[in-house]
Amino acid sequence: LGLAGVLPERRASGMWWDERSVRPRPEWQRNHESVSQRCERENGEGPKETRWDVVVDLDCPYTREAVLSAFRRNAGKWSVTDLSQGECKSAAPDVYWGEYERIDWESVASGKVCANCYCIRKGLIRKAQLALVLTRWCTKYPHSEIARSVPETFVFELYDIEYFEEVLIADVPELREMKPGETWILKPNVTNQALGVHVFNELGSLKAALCKEEAWNLREWVVQRYIANPLLVDKKKFHIRVYVLAVGALKVYVYDDMLALFATEDYDYSPDSLSNLDAHLTNTCHATHSGASEEDMVRLLDEIPTSFPGNKAAMQRKVDDTKKTIRLIVGQCFDAVSSDLSLMPMQNCFELFGFDFLLDDEWRVWFLEANAEPDVKQTGERLHSVISDMISGACEYGPAGLMPTGLKPAKGNKWVEVLQKHMSGSQNMKFRIT
């Protein structure tokens, strides 16, 4: 059974692990009333006249401006504070959209703040945990779409390279029996930006990668069977970035405008080319160091049919079928991790994720990974409007959907619901902040 892994993406703070310890709260985060209490105090009859306080506390300027613009489009409903400008409020906000490590989880757990992250979601954004969850799910539902859409995957821990052979025997004997022509990809359990990723077809190459200095502090690894026959566009490999929104406990939406992110060099599967990551990796953080143009690296998936000869309408139907399959996989993935409680949805939280998929040359969809707090700035300026509309729609379904604002999603909103699930226990979960 193949199992895919998940990576959290690094942010400017350099903190990329999940469920981090909570920092001391600033004064404006303390001692305030709940949303329902404020509604009753201000106008008694409900929230129709209430203006909700929003604090935006994001490090990335690209993402921050998109979020600020989304709220300011409905200035009559939102009072927005941008902490990057040194603005401060004497009372805590109704909505906090910021960095995970700066969220006041005590206020979130008490229902006083609506936040843009779930506190516990390691089952989705860590490869090893997701592998365990999907093992159980796919055993129970062997004919599900996700069961046939994840590469064959193994997880192992290595604390000292001297125990390399012992680890292979105990955890991944399949690698010891590698056949000529087999290729695998190595990924650390918790890194991003292609750090520590290695493509190999022999054990000597795998051992050399694990001996590198960058691997010394990494203990848990995932190896996946490499998809050697990717669909190519203009001779280049690409993967599909899909934006996914989880809201409350629990609705899940997929954004219809999906991105195609390209490698910077022509794809070559010959044994001597496996070390050329510019041809094999489609991570935009890796590609930005190559000098490739923005249009060469990022396109809309709906632009892909123009790159193929023949009937464009037939190619577009393949793209549409791909989107349907992706939506089904995303829904099943969230159903699996939420059933396992390694993702614990909270009624007053929402979160944006980036899911990555690959198409092979037969247009089969492969689920690769998912990222918390995706790095949307890599989309660039040409498709900036896609990100702007995506975040604006996320605001309409996320904070506006969770708060009693009376706002409804605008016509033309491209978020498509893929899962609706009632998590009864999530509304009464208790947290102990240490």
Side-chain angles (χ1 to χ4, degrees), residues 33-59:
E33 59 197 351
S34 68
V35 169
S36 59
Q37 289 171 336
R38 184 177 166 200
C39 276
E40 293 175 1
R41 176 178 58 80
E42 290 195 354
N43 50 355
E45 296 181 356
K48 294 183 180 179
E49 303 299 327
T50 301
R51 197 160 179 252
W52 304 97
D53 291 326
V54 180
V55 164
V56 177
D57 186 18
L58 293 166
D59 294 333

Side-chain angles (χ1 to χ4, degrees), residues 22 29 96 98-105 108 115-117:
V22 179
Q29 284 189 339
Y96 178 86
E99 303 298 330
Y100 179 97
E101 62 268 19
R102 297 199 287 267
I103 294 175
D104 173 16
W105 290 112
V108 173
N116 67 307
C117 293

Side-chain angles (χ1 to χ4, degrees), residues 253-304:
Y253 303 85
V254 168
Y255 196 63
D256 191 62
D257 279 346
M258 302 177 185
L259 303 178
L261 309 181
F262 285 81
T264 56
E265 294 189 12
D266 292 354
Y267 182 73
D268 183 359
Y269 184 59
S270 61
D272 295 337
S273 77
L274 295 182
S275 61
N276 181 13
L277 297 184
D278 289 332
H280 290 274
L281 296 188
T282 53
N283 184 291
T284 51
C285 294
H286 175 80
T288 51
H289 302 297
S290 67
S293 69
E294 183 180 290
E295 188 170 359
D296 289 337
M297 293 190 298
V298 185
R299 307 182 202 175
L300 284 174
L301 182 62
D302 285 325
E303 295 175 334
I304 296 302

